[in-house]
Amino acid sequence: MKEYVRFLGSIARIGCIGFGGGSALIPVIEEEIVRKQKLDTKENIDKDVVVASITPGALPIEIVASIGRRCFGTRGMIMAAVMMALPGAFVTILMMTLLSVMQSDLLSVIEIGSVGVSAFIIYLLVKYVADVVKTCRKESKIREKKAILLMVVVFILVCGKNVYKIFGIEGTPLFAISTVEILALAFFCMFYSRSNYNVRNVTVMLVLGVIFLLGNGKAQMISNAYVIQAVQILMFLLAVWGVYQNGKEKKWKFSGEKKQIFREAAIWLILLGVFSVLAVLAERGAIVFIGKGCLSALMSFGGGDAYLTIADGLFVESGMITEHQYYSQIVPVVNVLPGSILCKTLAGVGYYIGFNTTGSALTGIIFAAAGFVSSIAVSCGFFMLIYRLYDSLQMLWAFQMVSRWIRPIIAGMLMNIVLSLASQCMSVVNVYGGISGWFVLPILLALALLNAWVIKRWKVSQVLPLVVNIVVIFAFFYVF
């Protein structure tokens, strides 16, 4: 019992200092679990890291859940995940509650401060993109060029709305494809082609891809619903066929502990079900949020920052929360707090959806709890499934392609998030500063570059440049 309590205490402590992204916590987890407590081996944790890196969800939460399962069984698996994610998510829900019920003065302070936070987020996002390019360059120059081309194509397909907004252009962008649709198209191409780019495969992907883009773009160049649905169904069937063919070629056979797989899946489903029922009892519309929340967790490849674009596509673009609530309140808060961005963001989004629907902070808290549990249950449930199947699944080329190309795709989407943040900052400066939003762009760029230089040169904690950014922005508003 002492070991169990000590284990949970150390996980909660790591969750409280979890700044800098999930990968930054890997050496901290190893130090605590392997060297200090001697509960697990580095070899086991290395496998956890590999599986967590190629599956969606919150990486550090998946890793500690796996450690907890090996060391203390089911109770260790569940409680380790909760204790890692809870500190950041709890404070996020507390902040959302205060922001929704307090007077506008507090909101104005948060929104002005969010400009400084946005500069830091822009630095993080650009760093992520640069790291993706750097990783691809290490493999080969051809790989680097393909990755950059893929990033640019994805960026062009998704950036339309923000480009129009920044430049004040009236009209509807030709594409402005949502995150969900981009990922759906990407998975279709990867699963169907299996990296076999012969004339037939390329032709099929081009024809179906163009129809899909024109039908799902904001301009809706193809508006016939039957045609769009037929293409989507055909793409799904061809993707399944591609995976089947790949398995047939490789003579893939299921290998894994079936009882353990179903048992672990059932545990996470029951946990999710309990909190879903509570949310639905508070407001029937919760079922839509929980469904989208689970889907967003399944789509959250590429690290915590990448989830920002997933949540934008599912919750902001669909109108479930406003762009103002997301970029002025949720995004700044989750980026200054420790812990998984996925868990914090889904909790924050859940709060505002519940609050917007009923006007009740209590309903918002119930929705936030459901979002928090959804993020953990989906992350850990899918991780455990792939962990059990990893040794056999890694032979499938379709599976390898996802881990190979998902980060460049996410990087292209994150470039659009940079535009979203810049657009939101321009709006804040215009409202509270009474000047053109264009004045803030060089300041954002200068602060982002300063953050990069200070962190690289002096190896300081990320908290310091973040605080400096906020101080500079408040000074800027004071002057104007």
Side-chain angles (χ1 to χ4, degrees):
M1 190 64 179
K2 272 188 177 181
E3 279 192 341
Y4 179 60
V5 172
R6 186 184 175 199
F7 168 71
L8 293 183
S10 64
I11 295 301
R13 187 167 61 253
I14 294 171
C16 289
I17 62 170
F19 295 96
S23 299
L25 292 180
I26 294 172
V28 180
I29 294 171
E30 285 187 0
E31 176 68 23
E32 186 68 32
I33 302 302
V34 178
R35 295 181 181 85
K36 289 185 179 180
Q37 299 190 34
K38 297 183 175 17
L39 288 173
D40 210 340
T41 66
K42 188 178 185 305
E43 289 73 25
N44 283 338
I45 294 179
D46 284 344
K47 183 177 179 180
D48 292 336
V49 171
V50 171
V51 177
S53 298
I54 61 174
T55 53
L59 182 142
I61 293 171
E62 293 170 345
I63 292 173
V64 298
S66 183
I67 295 170
R69 177 185 55 78
R70 280 193 300 270
C71 298
F72 302 102
T74 299
R75 62 172 184 165
M77 175 179 70
I78 295 174
M79 289 307 300
V82 171
M83 297 306 290
M84 174 64 81
L86 188 59
F90 174 78
V91 180
T92 297
I93 296 171
L94 179 62
M95 290 293 293
M96 296 301 103
T97 305
L98 291 174
L99 287 173
S100 65
V101 299
M102 295 291 283
Q103 296 179 354
S104 59
D105 289 344
L106 178 61
L107 291 177
S108 64
V109 170
I110 294 293
E111 289 177 5
I112 292 172
S114 73
V115 177
V117 177
S118 294
F120 183 73
I121 298 171
I122 288 171
Y123 150 69
L124 291 177
L125 299 182
V126 173
K127 181 179 182 297
Y128 180 97
V129 174
D131 287 344
V132 170
V133 174
K134 185 178 178 181
T135 301
C136 293
R137 185 188 305 132
K138 287 181 179 177
E139 184 175 327
S140 69
K141 284 287 184 181
I142 295 177
R143 162 91 164 139
E144 178 189 13
K145 290 177 181 177
K146 287 181 179 179
I148 292 174
L149 177 61
L150 184 57
M151 289 180 200
V152 172
V153 170
V154 170
F155 174 70
I156 291 172
L157 290 176
V158 300
C159 73
K161 183 182 73 172
N162 287 315
V163 169
Y164 275 43
K165 191 173 180 181
I166 289 174
F167 289 96
I169 302 172
E170 298 292 334
T172 304
L174 177 60
F175 291 119
I177 307 299
S178 73
T179 298
V180 181
E181 290 154 355
I182 285 292
L183 287 175
L185 180 59
F187 282 124
F188 159 68
C189 292
M190 288 188 285
F191 289 164
Y192 169 69
S193 69
R194 292 158 288 148
S195 199
N196 182 10
Y197 302 114
N198 57 34
V199 175
R200 184 192 66 182
N201 287 351
V202 171
T203 302
V204 170
M205 288 189 294
L206 279 175
V207 172
L208 293 180
V210 169
I211 296 174
F212 179 83
L213 291 173
L214 293 177
N216 288 284
K218 295 293 183 184
Q220 289 193 320
M221 300 293 287
I222 298 176
S223 56
N224 189 308
Y226 294 107
V227 172
I228 297 171
Q229 289 174 3
V231 167
Q232 290 172 342
I233 292 171
L234 182 57
M235 289 169 64
F236 174 77
L237 293 175
L238 288 173
V240 172
W241 176 84
V243 174
Y244 170 76
Q245 288 295 114
N246 191 198
K248 192 176 178 181
E249 292 165 2
K250 296 288 186 178
K251 296 180 180 179
W252 182 80
K253 291 183 180 180
F254 174 84
S255 64
E257 302 173 62
K258 293 182 181 179
K259 287 184 179 180
Q260 286 295 332
I261 290 174
F262 289 124
R263 182 174 177 275
E264 288 166 1
I267 289 168
W268 291 112
L269 282 173
I270 291 170
L271 185 63
L272 175 60
V274 170
F275 281 84
S276 298
V277 168
L278 291 174
V280 171
L281 288 175
E283 168 58 44
R284 290 184 179 179
I287 195 67
V288 177
F289 161 64
I290 292 169
K292 286 192 172 185
C294 292
L295 176 62
S296 71
L298 282 173
M299 296 166 58
S300 60
F301 289 93
D305 294 321
Y307 182 72
L308 296 177
T309 188
I310 305 292
D312 180 295
L314 282 172
F315 301 113
V316 180
E317 291 187 14
S318 64
M320 296 183 75
I321 60 171
T322 66
E323 188 171 1
H324 176 77
Q325 287 173 332
Y326 187 67
Y327 283 106
S328 288
Q329 295 167 34
I330 295 175
V331 171
V333 168
V334 302
N335 275 281
V336 298
L337 295 176
S340 162
I341 286 182
L342 164 61
C343 299
K344 291 181 294 185
T345 303
L346 204 46
V349 167
Y351 178 84
Y352 272 112
I353 290 175
F355 183 81
N356 292 345
T357 304
T358 64
S360 166
L362 178 59
T363 304
I365 292 171
I366 293 172
F367 271 54
F372 172 71
V373 173
S374 298
S375 65
I376 293 177
V378 173
S379 294
C380 295
F382 195 80
F383 169 87
M384 295 300 173
L385 172 65
I386 301 303
Y387 184 92
R388 299 290 186 184
L389 300 175
Y390 177 74
D391 291 334
S392 59
L393 277 177
Q394 63 179 336
M395 67 182 291
L396 295 181
W397 183 241
F399 186 77
Q400 295 173 26
M401 286 190 69
V402 173
S403 59
R404 183 176 175 80
W405 293 111
I406 194 66
R407 289 184 182 274
I409 292 171
I410 292 296
M413 296 178 183
L414 291 181
M415 290 160 64
N416 183 50
I417 292 294
V418 172
L419 293 187
S420 295
L421 291 169
S423 173
Q424 187 62 36
C425 290
M426 291 173 70
S427 176
V428 171
V429 168
N430 189 35
V431 171
Y432 294 106
I435 58 176
S436 171
W438 287 96
F439 280 95
V440 80
L441 294 185
I443 295 176
L444 287 175
L445 177 61
L447 286 175
L449 291 173
L450 178 63
N451 292 167
W453 181 77
V454 168
I455 291 174
K456 185 176 181 180
R457 176 70 178 81
W458 302 106
K459 309 293 184 185
V460 298
S461 166
Q462 293 184 349
V463 176
L464 179 60
L466 185 58
V467 171
V468 171
N469 287 0
I470 294 173
V471 171
V472 169
I473 290 300
F474 272 106
F476 170 79
F477 274 86
Y478 177 77
V479 169
F480 284 95

